Amino acid sequence: MSVSQPVEVDPTIADFAAIGRWMDECGLPGGAVGTVTPIGGGTQNIMLRFTRGEQEYVLRRGPKHLRARSNDVIRRESRLLGALAGTEVRAPKVIAACDDETVTGAVFYLMEPIHGFNPQTELPALHAGDPEVRRRMGLSAVEAIARLGALDYQALGLADYGKPDGFLERQVPRWLRELESYTANAGYPGPRIPDVERVGDWLERNRPTDWTPGIMHGDCHLANMMFEYDSPQVAAMVDWEMSTIGDPLLDLGWQLATRPVPGTVGAGLMGTLGTVCGLPEPAEMISHYGGFSDRDLGTITWYEVLACFKLGIVLEGTHARAFAGKAPKQVGDFLHAVTLELFEKAARLIA
């Protein structure tokens, strides 16, 4: 996440007078609200950094034009992050959450600021100049998801956070339906993606039958990781809107599928980090995960293929919306190229 210049905030997005009254009711420290600064990143949800009195906060809420599930997504995020407090998982620390949409027009929560950088938008000299530091960054990201997947979600009060029964069985049909739904976008010629049926059929025929449910981040590529400025360690995993209770090995598959390789189209999603070498090789990532998890990694290729399949279809949605004028054409074309690359990778993996 990157911090931009201070701004005057639209009160329909965040009414800080109302927020201040709510903070008083919560017993939080009083004082005047200081400079409000938007935090940018890869999400359409809104994040605002501000001070009140001598304390600093980050407010997170849904987009300005709320979608049908925006408030529910924020409620789920704040609940999960609250449950993770006190565990070894590096995640934002929630200070207080407001489920009442009438306070400022949307559900929101306050969290402590994270001191770290997003490698998609920034790469400090320490990390840019040393491939060993970048290798350890990749391993720290693997450790982060392994520790998350190893938690006892039921003991954390998250038994109803997702629907693990039939999770793997739902994946291919669910995402094929999503792909089909894109034809509703005016002008979209349909998905011109080679190997969609072949990859989907392989996933169905080779689906693991024995797995253990756990907490999933759901979108754990490196752009959703904040790293410490003075070390290769993850400072926090962010953007938890796709989190659920499912098969945590899909998080490892996701990291393998999105590992930036210089010279590929997909590497363009990771800024400077995508143009330099040094990240751990897939075999080392898998081995490192095994050091923090007792899960059977014998079928990890299946999860990497599923990650390519799912992410490719997600990105194709922007390509489809671009035809209807709902997204920039340049962005749509770029993400379509990434989708093609992901399906080419999946085809190689199953060959």
Side-chain angles (χ1 to χ4, degrees), residues 120 217-225 251 254-255 258 270 311:
Q120 184 181 43
H217 180 281
D219 192 19
C220 55
H221 51 75
L222 293 177
N224 280 339
M225 302 270 180
D251 274 352
W254 204 266
Q255 285 201 354
T258 59
M270 283 306 303
L311 180 56

Side-chain angles (χ1 to χ4, degrees), residues 67-119:
R67 300 173 183 174
R69 293 190 61 252
S70 293
N71 284 325
D72 288 338
V73 167
I74 298 299
R75 286 189 184 97
R76 281 174 55 82
E77 278 188 12
S78 62
R79 178 188 173 191
L80 177 66
L81 293 176
L84 293 179
T87 71
E88 293 184 324
V89 172
R90 297 197 171 195
K93 292 181 172 59
V94 173
I95 297 170
C98 180
D99 286 341
D100 185 352
E101 300 171 25
T102 67
V103 171
T104 187
V107 168
F108 67 91
Y109 62 88
L110 304 180
M111 56 184 169
E112 296 179 3
I114 300 164
H115 184 65
F117 69 92
N118 183 327

Side-chain angles (χ1 to χ4, degrees), residues 3-9 16 32-38 48-53 55-57:
V3 178
S4 54
Q5 295 299 311
V7 296
E8 291 293 329
V9 177
F16 277 97
V33 173
T35 301
V36 180
T37 308
L48 302 170
R49 191 169 187 151
F50 70 98
T51 56
R52 188 176 193 243
Q55 187 162 344
E56 197 169 22
Y57 303 87

Side-chain angles (χ1 to χ4, degrees), residues 221-278:
H221 51 75
L222 293 177
N224 280 339
M225 302 270 180
M226 301 284 287
F227 289 85
E228 296 176 353
Y229 282 104
D230 57 357
S231 87
Q233 298 302 309
V234 169
M237 292 190 285
V238 297
D239 289 353
W240 292 79
E241 56 201 82
M242 293 177 66
S243 60
T244 190
I245 306 301
D247 189 337
L249 286 184
L250 182 53
D251 274 352
L252 177 57
W254 204 266
Q255 285 201 354
L256 292 166
T258 59
R259 174 183 175 273
V261 178
T264 61
V265 178
L269 292 169
M270 283 306 303
T272 301
L273 186 60
T275 66
V276 294
C277 300

Side-chain angles (χ1 to χ4, degrees), residues 23-335:
M23 292 175 72
D24 289 339
E25 293 172 1
C26 292
L28 295 174
V33 173
T35 301
V36 180
T37 308
I39 299 175
T43 176
Q44 294 192 51
N45 289 323
I46 292 169
M47 286 189 292
L48 302 170
R49 191 169 187 151
F50 70 98
T51 56
R52 188 176 193 243
E54 298 182 353
Q55 187 162 344
E56 197 169 22
Y57 303 87
V58 171
L59 180 149
R60 181 168 166 89
R61 54 151 285 171
K64 179 176 181 179
H65 301 292
L66 295 173
R67 300 173 183 174
R69 293 190 61 252
S70 293
N71 284 325
D72 288 338
V73 167
I74 298 299
R75 286 189 184 97
R76 281 174 55 82
E77 278 188 12
S78 62
R79 178 188 173 191
L80 177 66
L81 293 176
L84 293 179
T87 71
E88 293 184 324
V89 172
R90 297 197 171 195
K93 292 181 172 59
V94 173
I95 297 170
C98 180
D99 286 341
D100 185 352
E101 300 171 25
T102 67
V103 171
T104 187
V107 168
F108 67 91
Y109 62 88
L110 304 180
M111 56 184 169
E112 296 179 3
I114 300 164
H115 184 65
F117 69 92
N118 183 327
Q120 184 181 43
T121 57
E122 181 182 0
L123 201 62
L126 171 67
H127 306 74
D130 189 342
E132 174 59 19
V133 171
R134 296 194 295 276
R135 185 183 75 87
R136 289 166 59 196
M137 284 175 67
L139 295 179
S140 182
V142 168
E143 177 183 342
I145 59 168
R147 289 189 181 279
L148 176 68
L151 294 175
D152 183 340
Y153 69 93
Q154 294 177 320
L156 293 174
L158 297 171
D160 61 343
Y161 192 75
K163 299 178 180 178
D165 290 346
F167 176 80
L168 295 185
E169 289 83 355
R170 292 194 299 270
Q171 294 303 303
V172 171
R174 184 258 185 270
W175 291 103
L176 287 177
R177 287 195 303 271
E178 179 75 6
L179 185 61
E180 177 63 27
S181 75
Y182 298 160
T183 58
N185 290 279
Y188 179 55
R192 297 175 177 175
I193 308 171
D195 293 315
V196 169
E197 293 81 7
R198 177 186 171 205
V199 173
D201 178 66
W202 183 89
L203 286 167
E204 290 289 73
R205 288 186 290 104
N206 293 276
R207 184 174 57 243
T209 57
D210 185 20
W211 60 280
T212 303
I215 304 173
M216 287 178 53
H217 180 281
D219 192 19
C220 55
H221 51 75
L222 293 177
N224 280 339
M225 302 270 180
M226 301 284 287
F227 289 85
E228 296 176 353
Y229 282 104
D230 57 357
S231 87
Q233 298 302 309
V234 169
M237 292 190 285
V238 297
D239 289 353
W240 292 79
E241 56 201 82
M242 293 177 66
S243 60
T244 190
I245 306 301
D247 189 337
L249 286 184
L250 182 53
D251 274 352
L252 177 57
W254 204 266
Q255 285 201 354
L256 292 166
T258 59
R259 174 183 175 273
V261 178
T264 61
V265 178
L269 292 169
M270 283 306 303
T272 301
L273 186 60
T275 66
V276 294
C277 300
L279 289 169
E281 293 295 321
E284 186 178 15
M285 293 170 66
I286 296 167
S287 175
H288 195 69
Y289 187 98
F292 300 91
S293 172
D294 59 2
R295 295 178 184 275
D296 181 1
L297 298 173
T299 57
I300 193 59
T301 296
W302 187 90
Y303 294 92
E304 185 176 1
V305 172
L306 176 60
C308 291
F309 181 86
K310 178 177 176 178
L311 180 56
I313 290 175
V314 169
L315 298 181
E316 181 67 9
T318 302
H319 184 231
R321 289 190 292 274
F323 278 90
K326 301 174 184 176
K329 182 179 185 301
Q330 183 178 5
V331 174
D333 289 347
F334 169 68
L335 294 181

